[in-house]
Amino acid sequence: EITVLRISGPRRPPSLPRAWAMTVMAMEEEEVPKMSWERKRALTRDQLTGYYRERFNQAAEQRRVRMYERAWDEVIKREKAQGAKARATAQAKEAKTNPGPAVVPSETPPPAEEVWGGDLYEFKIQYSTNFGEEMYLIGSADELGAWDLSRKVHMAWNKDNYWTVKVQIPADRKAVEFKFIVGQNGNNRWEGGQNHRFELTGGRCVLS
């Protein structure tokens, strides 16, 4: 003779068929206000069901907020990493195609004439770009692209949102006009107003 025993776990209280399912999530949330067992015993079935429903809604909202916060932090982290990578790639490409003057160690700086020569000019602008945007320089001289957007000169970002670039321009160009451009993914936004203009005088010259 074989006897089969049916073993079951704790049965849910018959008086709380709806609230029992809501309790699982609500009990796990520490930030959701809780009610003592003494107060619960004094509640009716409907009141207790309402209590657990409210706790369930609060717990679900807490979880949703934390999920969005974690997702947003991850988005910011990835955007910063992508921005740094894109800027490094652009600067490396610019350095490869337009190496410019040799860098002189700061410990033993040579005379200004050796660093700048007679025709080296530095262009400088302080501008806060949006994510993914880069600053460029364009002008009338052939060294500045001769107003050809495909030949515009990329500028390097520095601390406090200063963008700079050094360009060698022969003195025989005499007068030069130029403008700054904000570029991103082939889209270019020109600086407003009249063109900047300066006379080529040789020696060190910072244009901003």
Side-chain angles (χ1 to χ4, degrees):
E1 180 179 356
I2 300 176
T3 302
V4 179
L5 300 178
R6 183 173 181 269
I7 302 177
S8 60
R11 299 179 60 187
R12 65 177 62 178
S15 59
L16 302 176
R18 299 179 184 177
W20 185 270
M22 301 176 185
T23 306
V24 178
M25 179 184 292
M27 292 295 290
E28 296 177 355
E29 295 296 330
E30 295 297 333
E31 298 179 7
V32 178
K34 299 179 181 179
M35 183 184 297
S36 65
W37 285 109
E38 290 75 11
R39 292 187 59 189
K40 291 178 184 178
R41 292 192 186 98
L43 298 179
T44 64
R45 171 183 170 179
D46 292 339
Q47 290 174 334
L48 194 58
T49 300
Y51 162 73
Y52 279 118
R53 181 181 293 110
E54 180 64 23
R55 284 202 58 188
F56 173 82
N57 292 335
Q58 293 177 3
E61 179 64 22
Q62 292 287 348
R63 290 192 174 188
R64 185 160 48 249
V65 169
R66 285 198 295 269
M67 179 184 68
Y68 285 138
E69 289 177 346
R70 288 193 295 267
W72 182 246
D73 291 341
E74 183 64 22
V75 168
I76 294 176
K77 180 180 178 181
R78 292 187 181 185
E79 286 191 352
K80 287 183 177 180
Q82 290 175 358
K85 183 178 179 180
R87 185 172 289 114
T89 301
Q91 291 177 351
K93 183 178 180 180
E94 175 65 21
K96 188 175 182 180
T97 56
N98 184 21
V103 178
V104 180
S106 58
E107 301 81 50
T108 56
E113 293 74 20
E114 295 184 30
V115 179
W116 290 85
D119 307 314
L120 190 61
Y121 298 85
E122 179 180 18
F123 297 82
K124 181 178 182 180
I125 184 173
Q126 186 179 30
Y127 185 79
S128 178
T129 59
N130 296 320
F131 175 76
E133 293 180 337
E134 299 286 336
M135 291 296 300
Y136 297 89
L137 179 69
I138 195 168
S140 58
D142 189 64
E143 292 75 15
L144 301 182
W147 302 116
D148 183 355
L149 285 174
S150 65
R151 298 171 54 200
K152 61 184 182 292
V153 181
H154 181 262
M155 304 184 73
W157 181 87
N158 297 275
K159 184 180 179 181
D160 297 327
N161 291 320
Y162 278 101
W163 296 80
T164 61
V165 65
K166 298 176 183 178
V167 182
Q168 194 88 16
I169 304 178
D172 59 8
R173 299 286 190 270
K174 296 182 179 180
V176 173
E177 294 185 353
F178 69 93
K179 274 195 171 186
F180 298 103
I181 294 178
V182 179
Q184 181 181 24
N185 298 328
N187 298 318
N188 300 288
R189 189 167 70 252
W190 288 69
E191 176 188 9
Q194 298 294 323
N195 297 339
H196 303 286
R197 178 184 174 89
F198 70 98
E199 302 289 334
L200 297 181
T201 58
R204 175 170 180 167
C205 184
V206 179
L207 306 167
S208 60

